[in-house]
């Protein structure tokens, strides 16, 4: 529907859909897009953006209370590492224990073996999808609340999720406030509230002011306003484009027989999460073509290839991640390694400070292996390999694990 306005008049688009669904020929609307549900603060921010009187992305997030779910155990079932990190980052702030599963089959095993209070379940995954996994879990534990996570919140998905026994549905990219409200409906929050810490004004600015094809404000919102974490997300996305998605064109050529449908669905979701709206929009076209049963044309594949290269070029100039060097005593190092090993065995998310302490200790060990390989295993949530290597590194460093 066309709307006639004066050229000088700012236009704010209000939609329940995502930013990447806007026409590509309207890049001027990047800064004047308002997602539903609309709040007073989001309207205020949008007015500031279109009038040029607000920063491109907020440098100081307002402090707001976070519910305490200390003592609760939440299983996150998600096949993509970046999405695992985003969800875990939000959940850790509540004090909950976070356990990770990479697919539905792992989730079924973990739900049977451990004490889980709530499950956040991705719907589209390899090995076993979220619908089948939820049905199997609820056969044995009918009262266990399962919340669906999906990049495409279609009515058919909602209906199918409800039929599988899921209690609610949260869209990706995940809004932290909505996540906390949903969890509070199924987990009893503690009386204490956790204050969200505003970013320190003295902290170095690591984010670029502009990346072509990226909506940095949207990406920062996905990171819950944490600039350092968003910076890490962009680096993670950069690495994924250079590794797991390098063969996507070959897979697209194979049609339904290849891994193209799953890869493009994943790419669409994570590109949207980090704010790469141009790449997300192209991936969405291909994802829809698969759903419609249409062949993926050479033109679409070429468009995707160019969008991916554009994203790589933009991310190439990111400032490097900070290397935290610290002096760690043998007792502190051994304690950190012991705590990490326990978490690895339980598939629990490991606190960044604990990782830094252990890495600092291992780096000071002159005769042993460096911790980079261990950190890579942990970063990729390859916990079995990480646990084996940790035991080996601890023995080399002479650290007694307890």
């Amino acid at each position: 529907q066309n709307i006639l306005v004066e050229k000088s008049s700012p236009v704010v688009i209000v939609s329940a859909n995502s930013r990447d669904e806007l026409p590509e020929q309207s890049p001027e609307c990047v800064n004047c897009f308002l997602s539903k549900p609309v709040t007073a603060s989001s309207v205020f921010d949008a007015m500031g953006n279109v009038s040029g009187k607000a920063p491109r992305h907020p440098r100081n997030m307002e402090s707001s209370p976070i519910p305490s779910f200390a003592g609760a155990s939440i299983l996150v079932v998600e096949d993509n590492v970046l999405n695992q990190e985003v969800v875990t980052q939000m959940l850790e702030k509540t004090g909950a224990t976070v356990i990770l599963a990479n697919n539905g089959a792992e989730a079924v095993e973990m739900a049977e073996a451990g004490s889980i209070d709530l499950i956040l379940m991705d719907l589209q995954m390899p090995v076993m999808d979220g619908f089948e996994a939820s049905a199997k879990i609820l056969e044995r534990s009918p009262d266990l609340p399962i919340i669906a996570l999906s990049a495409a919140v279609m009515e058919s998905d909602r209906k199918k999720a409800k039929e599988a026994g899921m209690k609610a549905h949260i869209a990706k990219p995940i809004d932290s406030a909505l996540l906390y409200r949903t969890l509070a409906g199924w987990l009893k929050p503690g009386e204490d509230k956790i204050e969200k810490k505003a970013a320190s004004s003295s902290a170095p600015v690591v984010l670029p002011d502009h990346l072509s094809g990226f909506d940095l404000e949207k990406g920062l919102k996905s990171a819950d306003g944490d600039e350092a974490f968003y910076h890490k997300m962009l680096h993670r996305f950069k690495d994924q484009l250079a590794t797991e998605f390098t063969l996507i064109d070959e897979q697209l050529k194979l049609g339904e027989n290849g891994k193209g449908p799953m890869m493009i669905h994943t790419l669409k979701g994570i590109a949207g999460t980090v704010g790469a709206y141009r790449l997300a929009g192209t991936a969405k076209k291909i994802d829809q073509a698969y759903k419609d049963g249409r062949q993926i044309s050479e033109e679409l594949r070429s468009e995707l290839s160019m969008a991916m290269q554009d994203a790589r070029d933009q991310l190439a100039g990111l400032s490097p991640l900070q290397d935290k060097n610290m002096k760690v005593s043998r007792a502190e190092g051994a304690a950190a390694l012991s705590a990490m090993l326990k978490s690895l065995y339980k598939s629990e998310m490991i606190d960044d400070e604990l990782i830094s302490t252990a890495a600092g200790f291992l780096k000071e060990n002159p005769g042993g292996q460096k911790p980079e390989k261990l950190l890579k295993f942990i970063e990729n949530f390859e916990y079995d390999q990480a646990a084996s290597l940790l035991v080996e590194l601890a023995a080399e460093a002479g650290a007694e694990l307890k």
Side-chain angles (χ1 to χ4, degrees):
Q1 187 175 7
N2 295 324
I3 302 175
L4 297 177
V5 296
E6 294 182 11
K7 290 184 178 180
S8 60
S9 302
V11 178
V12 177
I13 296 178
V14 182
S15 174
N17 297 319
S18 62
R19 166 63 185 84
D20 56 48
E21 293 178 307
L22 288 180
E24 291 185 6
Q25 62 269 29
S26 301
E28 67 275 7
C29 289
V30 170
N31 290 326
C32 50
F33 182 82
L34 188 57
S35 297
K36 296 179 181 178
V38 176
T39 64
S41 61
S42 64
V43 172
F44 180 82
D45 290 341
M47 291 172 65
N49 282 330
V50 298
S51 66
K53 298 179 180 179
R56 181 67 184 88
H57 48 80
R59 293 296 180 185
N60 290 295
M61 303 294 287
E62 290 184 5
S63 178
S64 58
I66 297 173
S68 172
F69 297 118
S73 182
I74 300 176
L75 175 62
V76 176
V77 190
E78 168 65 60
D79 66 305
N80 184 266
V81 174
L82 190 147
N83 288 333
Q84 288 179 343
E85 290 179 341
V86 170
V87 179
T88 301
Q89 175 81 356
M90 295 177 180
L91 293 177
E92 283 187 332
K93 295 177 181 179
T94 70
T97 298
V98 182
I99 303 171
L100 299 171
N102 296 300
N103 55 62
E106 288 185 10
V108 172
E109 292 181 7
M110 291 180 179
E112 291 178 355
S115 177
I116 305 295
D117 297 304
L118 182 140
I119 298 177
L120 292 172
M121 180 77 74
D122 185 31
L123 297 182
Q124 305 297 330
M125 294 178 290
V127 184
M128 182 186 293
D129 64 29
F131 302 109
E132 182 180 354
S134 296
K136 288 181 177 294
I137 291 171
L138 292 173
E139 282 180 8
R140 295 176 61 95
S141 306
D143 297 326
L144 181 60
I146 302 178
I147 311 299
L149 302 177
S150 176
V153 188
M154 302 172 62
E155 188 57 38
S156 57
D157 282 339
R158 290 184 183 277
K159 183 178 179 181
K160 193 174 178 181
K162 187 175 182 180
E163 290 173 349
M166 301 186 201
K167 304 298 185 183
H169 204 139
I170 298 177
K172 300 178 187 176
I174 297 172
D175 178 82
S176 60
L178 175 59
L179 174 65
Y180 297 148
R181 288 198 303 271
T182 304
L183 293 179
W186 301 98
L187 298 174
K188 184 178 179 181
E191 295 182 1
D192 296 333
K193 296 292 182 180
I194 303 171
E195 289 297 321
K196 183 189 295 183
K197 296 180 180 179
S200 172
S201 58
S202 62
V205 176
V206 294
L207 291 180
D209 291 329
H210 174 75
L211 289 177
S212 179
F214 284 74
D215 185 338
L216 297 180
E217 184 178 350
K218 179 180 178 181
L220 186 58
K221 184 178 180 182
S222 295
D224 205 21
D226 188 327
E227 286 197 12
F229 181 60
Y230 183 39
H231 185 230
K232 182 180 177 182
M233 285 170 58
L234 290 173
H235 271 279
R236 165 70 73 180
F237 186 53
K238 174 186 174 182
D239 291 343
Q240 289 178 312
L241 290 177
T243 54
E244 63 189 87
F245 291 111
T246 53
L247 300 179
I248 192 170
D249 187 62
E250 295 181 18
Q251 293 298 323
L252 291 177
K253 291 178 183 178
L254 297 176
E256 296 287 348
N257 297 322
K259 298 179 181 179
M262 181 60 69
M263 291 180 73
I264 204 69
H265 177 82
T266 300
L267 178 60
K268 178 189 72 171
I270 63 176
T273 296
V274 300
Y277 66 85
R278 188 172 298 163
L279 179 54
T282 303
K284 183 176 181 179
K285 291 180 185 178
I286 299 176
D287 187 49
Q288 190 59 51
Y290 275 121
K291 292 177 180 177
D292 294 341
R294 292 182 281 117
Q295 186 175 1
I296 309 304
S297 66
E298 184 177 343
E299 181 182 0
L300 266 181
R301 296 202 330 269
S302 177
E303 183 180 342
L304 178 69
S305 179
M306 288 189 292
M308 289 180 67
Q309 188 57 50
D310 286 344
R312 292 190 189 102
D313 292 342
Q314 291 297 309
L315 295 171
L318 284 176
S319 59
L321 293 171
Q322 293 181 346
D323 183 19
K324 299 180 180 178
N325 295 314
M326 57 188 299
K327 291 288 184 180
V328 182
S329 69
R330 181 171 299 277
E332 290 175 326
L337 290 171
S338 297
M340 282 178 62
L341 187 62
K342 291 177 182 178
S343 293
L344 289 172
Y345 283 149
K346 296 178 182 178
S347 295
E348 294 177 353
M349 191 69 177
I350 303 173
D351 183 75
D352 285 342
E353 186 174 344
L354 193 63
I355 293 175
S356 295
T357 302
F361 170 69
L362 292 173
K363 284 180 180 179
E364 294 175 5
N365 180 37
Q369 302 179 52
K370 299 303 180 185
E372 283 74 15
K373 189 174 182 180
L374 172 64
L375 299 180
K376 199 67 178 178
F377 280 144
I378 294 174
E379 188 177 302
N380 292 327
F381 300 99
E382 298 174 16
Y383 284 176
D384 289 340
Q385 297 94 320
S388 297
L389 182 57
L390 187 151
V391 172
E392 179 183 331
L393 293 176
E396 288 183 355
E400 183 179 352
L401 297 176
K402 297 179 180 180

